[in-house]
PDB file of all heavy atoms in Angstrom:
ATOM      1  N   ALA A   1       8.809  11.623   3.650  1.00  0.00           N
ATOM      2  CA  ALA A   1       8.014  10.912   4.668  1.00  0.00           C
ATOM      3  C   ALA A   1       7.766   9.465   4.236  1.00  0.00           C
ATOM      4  O   ALA A   1       7.839   8.551   5.059  1.00  0.00           O
ATOM      5  CB  ALA A   1       6.698  11.638   4.876  1.00  0.00           C
ATOM      6  N   PHE A   2       7.501   9.275   2.957  1.00  0.00           N
ATOM      7  CA  PHE A   2       7.259   7.917   2.488  1.00  0.00           C
ATOM      8  C   PHE A   2       8.510   7.058   2.659  1.00  0.00           C
ATOM      9  O   PHE A   2       8.460   5.937   3.184  1.00  0.00           O
ATOM     10  CB  PHE A   2       6.826   7.909   1.033  1.00  0.00           C
ATOM     11  CG  PHE A   2       6.745   6.515   0.459  1.00  0.00           C
ATOM     12  CD1 PHE A   2       5.648   5.714   0.724  1.00  0.00           C
ATOM     13  CD2 PHE A   2       7.781   6.012  -0.310  1.00  0.00           C
ATOM     14  CE1 PHE A   2       5.586   4.413   0.231  1.00  0.00           C
ATOM     15  CE2 PHE A   2       7.730   4.716  -0.813  1.00  0.00           C
ATOM     16  CZ  PHE A   2       6.633   3.921  -0.536  1.00  0.00           C
ATOM     17  N   PHE A   3       9.644   7.552   2.176  1.00  0.00           N
ATOM     18  CA  PHE A   3      10.859   6.733   2.234  1.00  0.00           C
ATOM     19  C   PHE A   3      11.395   6.548   3.659  1.00  0.00           C
ATOM     20  O   PHE A   3      12.176   5.641   3.899  1.00  0.00           O
ATOM     21  CB  PHE A   3      11.920   7.324   1.303  1.00  0.00           C
ATOM     22  CG  PHE A   3      11.609   7.114  -0.142  1.00  0.00           C
ATOM     23  CD1 PHE A   3      11.298   8.204  -0.969  1.00  0.00           C
ATOM     24  CD2 PHE A   3      11.604   5.846  -0.703  1.00  0.00           C
ATOM     25  CE1 PHE A   3      11.003   8.021  -2.307  1.00  0.00           C
ATOM     26  CE2 PHE A   3      11.306   5.645  -2.054  1.00  0.00           C
ATOM     27  CZ  PHE A   3      10.993   6.744  -2.843  1.00  0.00           C
ATOM     28  N   ALA A   4      10.920   7.404   4.564  1.00  0.00           N
ATOM     29  CA  ALA A   4      11.306   7.247   5.974  1.00  0.00           C
ATOM     30  C   ALA A   4      10.398   6.259   6.704  1.00  0.00           C
ATOM     31  O   ALA A   4      10.687   5.867   7.835  1.00  0.00           O
ATOM     32  CB  ALA A   4      11.269   8.611   6.679  1.00  0.00           C
ATOM     33  N   SER A   5       9.291   5.868   6.073  1.00  0.00           N
ATOM     34  CA  SER A   5       8.359   4.950   6.729  1.00  0.00           C
ATOM     35  C   SER A   5       8.910   3.540   6.767  1.00  0.00           C
ATOM     36  O   SER A   5       9.834   3.182   6.026  1.00  0.00           O
ATOM     37  CB  SER A   5       7.016   4.961   5.986  1.00  0.00           C
ATOM     38  OG  SER A   5       7.154   4.437   4.673  1.00  0.00           O
ATOM     39  N   SER A   6       8.328   2.735   7.628  1.00  0.00           N
ATOM     40  CA  SER A   6       8.808   1.359   7.813  1.00  0.00           C
ATOM     41  C   SER A   6       8.283   0.447   6.703  1.00  0.00           C
ATOM     42  O   SER A   6       7.318   0.787   6.004  1.00  0.00           O
ATOM     43  CB  SER A   6       8.343   0.824   9.149  1.00  0.00           C
ATOM     44  OG  SER A   6       6.937   0.640   9.164  1.00  0.00           O
ATOM     45  N   ILE A   7       8.905  -0.716   6.578  1.00  0.00           N
ATOM     46  CA  ILE A   7       8.429  -1.713   5.614  1.00  0.00           C
ATOM     47  C   ILE A   7       6.997  -2.099   5.929  1.00  0.00           C
ATOM     48  O   ILE A   7       6.156  -2.265   5.036  1.00  0.00           O
ATOM     49  CB  ILE A   7       9.342  -2.967   5.655  1.00  0.00           C
ATOM     50  CG1 ILE A   7      10.728  -2.608   5.153  1.00  0.00           C
ATOM     51  CG2 ILE A   7       8.739  -4.087   4.795  1.00  0.00           C
ATOM     52  CD1 ILE A   7      10.804  -2.145   3.720  1.00  0.00           C
ATOM     53  N   GLY A   8       6.665  -2.220   7.213  1.00  0.00           N
ATOM     54  CA  GLY A   8       5.299  -2.565   7.595  1.00  0.00           C
ATOM     55  C   GLY A   8       4.288  -1.521   7.173  1.00  0.00           C
ATOM     56  O   GLY A   8       3.201  -1.856   6.706  1.00  0.00           O
ATOM     57  N   GLU A   9       4.663  -0.253   7.325  1.00  0.00           N
ATOM     58  CA  GLU A   9       3.754   0.816   6.920  1.00  0.00           C
ATOM     59  C   GLU A   9       3.550   0.800   5.398  1.00  0.00           C
ATOM     60  O   GLU A   9       2.418   0.974   4.912  1.00  0.00           O
ATOM     61  CB  GLU A   9       4.337   2.167   7.346  1.00  0.00           C
ATOM     62  CG  GLU A   9       4.269   2.393   8.859  1.00  0.00           C
ATOM     63  CD  GLU A   9       5.044   3.627   9.282  1.00  0.00           C
ATOM     64  OE1 GLU A   9       6.141   3.893   8.719  1.00  0.00           O
ATOM     65  OE2 GLU A   9       4.550   4.322  10.182  1.00  0.00           O
ATOM     66  N   ARG A  10       4.599   0.541   4.664  1.00  0.00           N
ATOM     67  CA  ARG A  10       4.467   0.474   3.199  1.00  0.00           C
ATOM     68  C   ARG A  10       3.644  -0.741   2.779  1.00  0.00           C
ATOM     69  O   ARG A  10       2.893  -0.696   1.805  1.00  0.00           O
ATOM     70  CB  ARG A  10       5.846   0.432   2.542  1.00  0.00           C
ATOM     71  CG  ARG A  10       6.641   1.696   2.788  1.00  0.00           C
ATOM     72  CD  ARG A  10       7.930   1.656   1.993  1.00  0.00           C
ATOM     73  NE  ARG A  10       8.977   2.446   2.632  1.00  0.00           N
ATOM     74  CZ  ARG A  10      10.197   2.548   2.176  1.00  0.00           C
ATOM     75  NH1 ARG A  10      10.552   1.904   1.071  1.00  0.00           N
ATOM     76  NH2 ARG A  10      11.090   3.285   2.805  1.00  0.00           N
ATOM     77  N   GLU A  11       3.795  -1.840   3.529  1.00  0.00           N
ATOM     78  CA  GLU A  11       3.013  -3.036   3.240  1.00  0.00           C
ATOM     79  C   GLU A  11       1.523  -2.747   3.411  1.00  0.00           C
ATOM     80  O   GLU A  11       0.683  -3.201   2.620  1.00  0.00           O
ATOM     81  CB  GLU A  11       3.433  -4.166   4.197  1.00  0.00           C
ATOM     82  CG  GLU A  11       2.988  -5.553   3.749  1.00  0.00           C
ATOM     83  CD  GLU A  11       3.789  -6.044   2.550  1.00  0.00           C
ATOM     84  OE1 GLU A  11       5.029  -6.054   2.595  1.00  0.00           O
ATOM     85  OE2 GLU A  11       3.134  -6.419   1.558  1.00  0.00           O
ATOM     86  N   THR A  12       1.188  -1.983   4.444  1.00  0.00           N
ATOM     87  CA  THR A  12      -0.207  -1.608   4.657  1.00  0.00           C
ATOM     88  C   THR A  12      -0.737  -0.775   3.500  1.00  0.00           C
ATOM     89  O   THR A  12      -1.866  -0.985   3.029  1.00  0.00           O
ATOM     90  CB  THR A  12      -0.344  -0.813   5.984  1.00  0.00           C
ATOM     91  OG1 THR A  12       0.069  -1.652   7.064  1.00  0.00           O
ATOM     92  CG2 THR A  12      -1.773  -0.365   6.208  1.00  0.00           C
ATOM     93  N   LEU A  13       0.057   0.188   3.035  1.00  0.00           N
ATOM     94  CA  LEU A  13      -0.338   1.006   1.888  1.00  0.00           C
ATOM     95  C   LEU A  13      -0.521   0.154   0.640  1.00  0.00           C
ATOM     96  O   LEU A  13      -1.488   0.319  -0.112  1.00  0.00           O
ATOM     97  CB  LEU A  13       0.697   2.095   1.631  1.00  0.00           C
ATOM     98  CG  LEU A  13       0.878   3.173   2.702  1.00  0.00           C
ATOM     99  CD1 LEU A  13       2.032   4.096   2.325  1.00  0.00           C
ATOM    100  CD2 LEU A  13      -0.401   3.960   2.906  1.00  0.00           C
ATOM    101  N   GLY A  14       0.397  -0.782   0.397  1.00  0.00           N
ATOM    102  CA  GLY A  14       0.321  -1.646  -0.763  1.00  0.00           C
ATOM    103  C   GLY A  14      -0.893  -2.563  -0.724  1.00  0.00           C
ATOM    104  O   GLY A  14      -1.577  -2.765  -1.740  1.00  0.00           O
ATOM    105  N   THR A  15      -1.202  -3.091   0.448  1.00  0.00           N
ATOM    106  CA  THR A  15      -2.374  -3.944   0.599  1.00  0.00           C
ATOM    107  C   THR A  15      -3.665  -3.163   0.327  1.00  0.00           C
ATOM    108  O   THR A  15      -4.581  -3.649  -0.342  1.00  0.00           O
ATOM    109  CB  THR A  15      -2.420  -4.556   2.014  1.00  0.00           C
ATOM    110  OG1 THR A  15      -1.252  -5.350   2.214  1.00  0.00           O
ATOM    111  CG2 THR A  15      -3.649  -5.422   2.210  1.00  0.00           C
ATOM    112  N   ALA A  16      -3.712  -1.923   0.823  1.00  0.00           N
ATOM    113  CA  ALA A  16      -4.871  -1.066   0.578  1.00  0.00           C
ATOM    114  C   ALA A  16      -5.029  -0.764  -0.905  1.00  0.00           C
ATOM    115  O   ALA A  16      -6.130  -0.757  -1.450  1.00  0.00           O
ATOM    116  CB  ALA A  16      -4.763   0.211   1.375  1.00  0.00           C
ATOM    117  N   ALA A  17      -3.882  -0.520  -1.575  1.00  0.00           N
ATOM    118  CA  ALA A  17      -3.921  -0.240  -3.011  1.00  0.00           C
ATOM    119  C   ALA A  17      -4.492  -1.418  -3.775  1.00  0.00           C
ATOM    120  O   ALA A  17      -5.372  -1.267  -4.634  1.00  0.00           O
ATOM    121  CB  ALA A  17      -2.499   0.080  -3.507  1.00  0.00           C
ATOM    122  N   ARG A  18      -3.995  -2.605  -3.481  1.00  0.00           N
ATOM    123  CA  ARG A  18      -4.442  -3.812  -4.177  1.00  0.00           C
ATOM    124  C   ARG A  18      -5.941  -4.065  -3.919  1.00  0.00           C
ATOM    125  O   ARG A  18      -6.689  -4.408  -4.837  1.00  0.00           O
ATOM    126  CB  ARG A  18      -3.610  -4.993  -3.731  1.00  0.00           C
ATOM    127  CG  ARG A  18      -4.055  -6.339  -4.282  1.00  0.00           C
ATOM    128  CD  ARG A  18      -3.821  -6.465  -5.773  1.00  0.00           C
ATOM    129  NE  ARG A  18      -4.391  -7.709  -6.276  1.00  0.00           N
ATOM    130  CZ  ARG A  18      -4.306  -8.133  -7.526  1.00  0.00           C
ATOM    131  NH1 ARG A  18      -3.689  -7.400  -8.436  1.00  0.00           N
ATOM    132  NH2 ARG A  18      -4.855  -9.261  -7.900  1.00  0.00           N
ATOM    133  N   SER A  19      -6.403  -3.868  -2.710  1.00  0.00           N
ATOM    134  CA  SER A  19      -7.816  -4.082  -2.371  1.00  0.00           C
ATOM    135  C   SER A  19      -8.711  -3.106  -3.145  1.00  0.00           C
ATOM    136  O   SER A  19      -9.794  -3.466  -3.608  1.00  0.00           O
ATOM    137  CB  SER A  19      -8.046  -3.909  -0.858  1.00  0.00           C
ATOM    138  OG  SER A  19      -7.338  -4.905  -0.147  1.00  0.00           O
ATOM    139  N   TYR A  20      -8.237  -1.873  -3.274  1.00  0.00           N
ATOM    140  CA  TYR A  20      -9.024  -0.872  -4.000  1.00  0.00           C
ATOM    141  C   TYR A  20      -9.094  -1.229  -5.477  1.00  0.00           C
ATOM    142  O   TYR A  20     -10.157  -1.061  -6.116  1.00  0.00           O
ATOM    143  CB  TYR A  20      -8.400   0.507  -3.814  1.00  0.00           C
ATOM    144  CG  TYR A  20      -9.319   1.658  -4.107  1.00  0.00           C
ATOM    145  CD1 TYR A  20     -10.462   1.863  -3.349  1.00  0.00           C
ATOM    146  CD2 TYR A  20      -9.049   2.529  -5.142  1.00  0.00           C
ATOM    147  CE1 TYR A  20     -11.321   2.918  -3.633  1.00  0.00           C
ATOM    148  CE2 TYR A  20      -9.897   3.582  -5.423  1.00  0.00           C
ATOM    149  CZ  TYR A  20     -11.025   3.776  -4.661  1.00  0.00           C
ATOM    150  OH  TYR A  20     -11.872   4.824  -4.963  1.00  0.00           O
ATOM    151  N   TYR A  21      -8.010  -1.704  -6.035  1.00  0.00           N
ATOM    152  CA  TYR A  21      -8.028  -2.181  -7.427  1.00  0.00           C
ATOM    153  C   TYR A  21      -9.053  -3.302  -7.600  1.00  0.00           C
ATOM    154  O   TYR A  21      -9.877  -3.289  -8.523  1.00  0.00           O
ATOM    155  CB  TYR A  21      -6.631  -2.678  -7.840  1.00  0.00           C
ATOM    156  CG  TYR A  21      -6.676  -3.562  -9.077  1.00  0.00           C
ATOM    157  CD1 TYR A  21      -6.870  -3.004 -10.344  1.00  0.00           C
ATOM    158  CD2 TYR A  21      -6.567  -4.944  -8.980  1.00  0.00           C
ATOM    159  CE1 TYR A  21      -6.953  -3.803 -11.470  1.00  0.00           C
ATOM    160  CE2 TYR A  21      -6.643  -5.760 -10.098  1.00  0.00           C
ATOM    161  CZ  TYR A  21      -6.828  -5.184 -11.341  1.00  0.00           C
ATOM    162  OH  TYR A  21      -6.924  -5.990 -12.453  1.00  0.00           O
ATOM    163  N   GLU A  22      -8.996  -4.284  -6.735  1.00  0.00           N
ATOM    164  CA  GLU A  22      -9.877  -5.452  -6.869  1.00  0.00           C
ATOM    165  C   GLU A  22     -11.347  -5.075  -6.775  1.00  0.00           C
ATOM    166  O   GLU A  22     -12.209  -5.712  -7.404  1.00  0.00           O
ATOM    167  CB  GLU A  22      -9.532  -6.474  -5.801  1.00  0.00           C
ATOM    168  CG  GLU A  22      -8.175  -7.147  -6.033  1.00  0.00           C
ATOM    169  CD  GLU A  22      -7.755  -8.068  -4.888  1.00  0.00           C
ATOM    170  OE1 GLU A  22      -8.407  -8.013  -3.817  1.00  0.00           O
ATOM    171  OE2 GLU A  22      -6.778  -8.812  -5.060  1.00  0.00           O
ATOM    172  N   ALA A  23     -11.654  -4.021  -6.038  1.00  0.00           N
ATOM    173  CA  ALA A  23     -13.033  -3.609  -5.869  1.00  0.00           C
ATOM    174  C   ALA A  23     -13.546  -2.741  -7.024  1.00  0.00           C
ATOM    175  O   ALA A  23     -14.770  -2.684  -7.253  1.00  0.00           O
ATOM    176  CB  ALA A  23     -13.200  -2.832  -4.570  1.00  0.00           C
ATOM    177  N   ASN A  24     -12.661  -2.085  -7.761  1.00  0.00           N
ATOM    178  CA  ASN A  24     -13.117  -1.074  -8.711  1.00  0.00           C
ATOM    179  C   ASN A  24     -12.599  -1.164 -10.139  1.00  0.00           C
ATOM    180  O   ASN A  24     -13.245  -0.685 -11.070  1.00  0.00           O
ATOM    181  CB  ASN A  24     -12.727   0.317  -8.170  1.00  0.00           C
ATOM    182  CG  ASN A  24     -13.411   0.649  -6.884  1.00  0.00           C
ATOM    183  OD1 ASN A  24     -14.571   1.033  -6.851  1.00  0.00           O
ATOM    184  ND2 ASN A  24     -12.673   0.505  -5.772  1.00  0.00           N
TER     185      ASN A  24
END
């Protein structure tokens, strides 16, 4: 499912990951 997702969807996941790191 992950590898079938679009670049935009992965970008959203990556942005969320980075934001969570910065907060915690």
Side-chain angles (χ1 to χ4, degrees):
F2 173 79
F3 287 112
S5 65
S6 68
I7 294 297
E9 289 171 321
R10 296 187 208 178
E11 197 72 53
T12 298
L13 295 175
T15 299
R18 175 68 186 183
S19 296
Y20 199 64
Y21 162 75
E22 291 174 348
N24 296 281

